[in-house]
Amino acid sequence: MANVALAGPKEITIRGVLLGIVITLVFTAAQVYLGLKVGLTFATSIPAAVISMALLSAFKDATIQENNIVQTIASAAGTLASVIFVLPGLLMIGWWAHVPFWPTFGACAIGGVLGVMYTVPLRRALVSQSDLPYPEGVAAAEVLKVGMSSRSGAAEGKLGLMAVIWGSVTSALFAAAAGAKLMAGEVAVYFKAGSGATGIGAASSLALLGAGHLMGITVGIAMLVGLIIAWAVLVPVLTSMDPMPALSAADHALGVWSKQVRIIGAGTIGAAAIVTLAGLGKPVLGGLKSALETARKAKMTGAEIPRADQDLPIFIVGLITLLAMVPAGWLLASFLQGGVLSSLALPLVAVGVGYILVAGVFAAAVCGYMAGLIGSSNSPVSGIAILTILGASLSVGFVGKHIMGPEVAHALVAYALFVTTVVLAVAVIGNDNLQDLKTGQLVGATPWKQQVGLLIGVGAGSAVVPLVLELLNRANGFAGAPNVGVISDNPLAAPQATLISTLAKGVIGNNLEWDLVGYGALLGLLLVVVNFVVRKASADRYSLPPLGVGLAIYLPSAVTAPVVVGAVAGWLFERAVSSATWGETAKRIGVLIMSGFIVGESLFNVGLAGLIVASGVGEPLAIANGMSETTHMLIALVLGAAIVSGLYRWAARSAQKIAA
């Protein structure tokens, strides 16, 4: 047995765990709303670290490792909420009318626990012995180091908390103005183009601007290219091929986009994802082999394992993984109980558990590697979800093909979506675990304590997801769902769940529009080639991520246009301050303001959903006024620009004062 050095700094504390759980609850609620509205989520590690440092600075014995545990627990919010890329599909197909708590909690919790377990053996190969950049993990570590290292760092920590608060308050008030009908919720222009039509729309959303800033200029440019392909090429061409003079320009353009262009976008995402993931197979397998070899050598030689290199024991990891298969099997069996698939329960549960076990390992490893390569926010979780639902649909469809009928097909689609939810939870938490462990490595944390911290975050986040999801289901409902008894007339788009459920229905029902998917796949392959050429010609200085382009074709322009604006605005701001001595501080403050934008708007809308349910009124804040639609749009544009530019200037001035 290897000797283990146990001494170390204060890390897991009651106050830290409680703070981490509170931040997780708040951020998970915000993430669920954002994901359902726009199909995107954001990394919560950095704002969680700043909030933790500002609050724990009241305690003289607080350590950087304790703050790291807080951000590790809270980071589960930024990733686990991604299960809503799949779960609303069960409401859209009419399988669920309401979101049941325990099945949803179970799918999130089991998948999250497995995500941690599957990536423990990969830590040495992909983190401590790897040259992967881990951009977000390194950034979170830098924030912790700066905030804990000096008086100016402490001042920056307090300023960072104010930045999150200012961002949250202003974005909540901005969203409230839209909810009160004092400004337009969307700025849009549609027009005829010959016999066809096209246009562009942009949601009045500071959260989306913030998401664009956080994603960066590379993803922003990719999404701009996707917008151009969708709305300047595909929509005008396809509407011209199918002229409908009786329809308005907006109805014509949006109808063709939703029925044809969106499917092409799905094909683009799928092809780009497959190519991207195929290129990761060799390094992922090599990393796993190296991790197992390192563990074997340590055990044979009996060498002392330093505190900063201690994982959860591999025996415990294996035992928890096997034990988790028991509740996983029970969960899947309960899902099938009393339905048309009862007679196939045993083979379907066996296939489901096997799929979670095997596909989960692959998904966690690939996502973990991608977190190291490009960061967890940019990790193509959409691609993992697409591949997972295709595999799950083919697997369960094969088991049920001999009794296939409309009811059976419907039940098989639901079952495939539920299995995919568990696998996606595995993938996104695996993604997050390795990112957090990189931060921990840079601040001298103990790996096994971080792994325990993330398990705590998984439990807290899993409890919030079904509650917020059901609240939004009752208040708003989802586009394409039956929405029986829903109060508001503004359903949430849930774009990722729409895509995943469409693919499941198409594969099992054998009615997917494969021609449009095929055109999209060809476009995706072309974009892969273009990206390769761009990277080669620029010596990897520039790139055009094909998944970013595909997402912009698939997602509504109302979502992608503000993201592009946010990415460009963030790039201009960072470029303007980069040469100053206080430039890096200003950039960090800017990131926190944008994180606040996302949290504030999302939490406001969750609160609004609660008010809708409590009052029974679809638009409880609406104030009647006689302003025209154009005036409403101008107010939104001017007010949004004033808030963003004003807070960027505040960030620069505040950073200057700290440096003085």
Side-chain angles (χ1 to χ4, degrees), residues 205-228:
S205 168
L206 293 181
L208 291 175
L209 288 172
H213 179 117
L214 297 178
M215 287 179 183
I217 192 64
T218 299
V219 176
I221 294 298
M223 286 194 154
L224 177 60
V225 171
L227 274 177
I228 293 169

Side-chain angles (χ1 to χ4, degrees), residues 119-126 129 284-297 311 314:
T119 46
V120 167
L122 295 175
R123 183 190 61 82
R124 287 188 179 89
L126 295 185
Q129 299 171 8
V284 166
L285 290 174
L288 182 58
K289 183 179 177 183
S290 172
L292 294 173
E293 182 67 19
T294 302
R296 186 184 66 83
K297 285 181 179 177
D311 291 300
I314 200 70

Side-chain angles (χ1 to χ4, degrees), residues 523-603:
L523 177 58
L525 294 176
L526 176 62
L527 289 168
V528 168
V529 174
V530 170
N531 183 45
F532 176 80
V533 171
V534 169
R535 293 184 63 179
K536 202 77 172 172
S538 65
D540 280 337
R541 286 182 62 206
Y542 304 108
S543 65
L544 187 73
L547 277 166
V549 180
L551 274 173
I553 297 171
Y554 175 76
L555 294 173
S557 67
V559 169
T560 46
V563 170
V564 172
V565 172
V568 173
W571 176 73
L572 290 172
F573 169 72
E574 293 192 348
R575 191 178 178 194
V577 302
S578 60
S579 59
T581 55
W582 42 266
E584 290 304 312
T585 301
K587 290 178 185 179
R588 289 193 290 268
I589 299 302
V591 165
L592 294 168
I593 290 170
M594 297 301 141
S595 299
F597 276 177
I598 296 172
V599 172
E601 181 180 318
S602 300
L603 288 182

Side-chain angles (χ1 to χ4, degrees), residues 94-375:
W95 186 260
W96 284 347
H98 299 284
V99 181
F101 180 83
W102 289 112
T104 306
F105 172 84
C108 295
I110 291 168
V113 168
L114 289 174
V116 176
M117 295 303 118
Y118 286 168
T119 46
V120 167
L122 295 175
R123 183 190 61 82
R124 287 188 179 89
L126 295 185
V127 178
S128 58
Q129 299 171 8
S130 166
D131 57 0
L132 288 170
Y134 285 97
E136 288 173 8
V138 171
E142 286 304 309
V143 168
L144 286 168
K145 287 177 181 177
V146 169
M148 297 293 292
S149 62
S150 65
R151 183 174 296 175
S152 64
E156 184 181 326
K158 289 183 172 60
L159 180 63
L161 179 59
M162 285 305 303
V164 174
I165 291 171
W166 271 116
S168 299
V169 170
T170 51
S171 68
L173 292 174
F174 191 74
K181 303 298 182 185
L182 298 176
M183 68 178 204
E186 181 178 334
V187 178
V189 177
Y190 293 95
F191 51 88
K192 293 287 186 181
S195 58
T198 190
I200 192 87
S204 304
S205 168
L206 293 181
L208 291 175
L209 288 172
H213 179 117
L214 297 178
M215 287 179 183
I217 192 64
T218 299
V219 176
I221 294 298
M223 286 194 154
L224 177 60
V225 171
L227 274 177
I228 293 169
I229 291 172
W231 294 96
V233 180
L234 293 176
V235 170
V237 169
L238 292 173
T239 50
S240 297
M241 293 169 62
D242 185 19
M244 294 183 180
L247 290 180
S248 68
D251 289 342
H252 194 189
L254 290 169
V256 166
W257 170 79
S258 63
K259 292 175 183 173
Q260 298 180 55
V261 175
R262 189 169 213 184
I263 303 299
I264 294 173
T268 304
I269 293 170
I274 290 169
V275 173
T276 301
L277 299 178
L280 297 175
K282 186 176 179 181
V284 166
L285 290 174
L288 182 58
K289 183 179 177 183
S290 172
L292 294 173
E293 182 67 19
T294 302
R296 186 184 66 83
K297 285 181 179 177
K299 187 174 181 180
M300 287 178 63
T301 60
E304 182 178 277
I305 302 175
R307 177 191 59 79
D309 200 30
Q310 295 170 19
D311 291 300
L312 287 171
I314 200 70
F315 168 76
I316 298 297
V317 170
L319 182 63
I320 291 175
T321 300
L322 290 175
L323 289 176
M325 293 301 123
V326 176
W330 177 83
L331 193 68
L332 297 179
S334 299
F335 189 86
L336 296 169
Q337 192 173 11
V340 294
L341 298 177
S342 295
S343 61
L344 294 175
L346 187 60
L348 282 174
V349 169
V351 166
V353 170
Y355 193 72
I356 290 168
L357 193 61
V358 176
V361 169
F362 172 78
V366 169
C367 270
Y369 185 89
M370 289 190 295
L373 201 61
I374 57 178

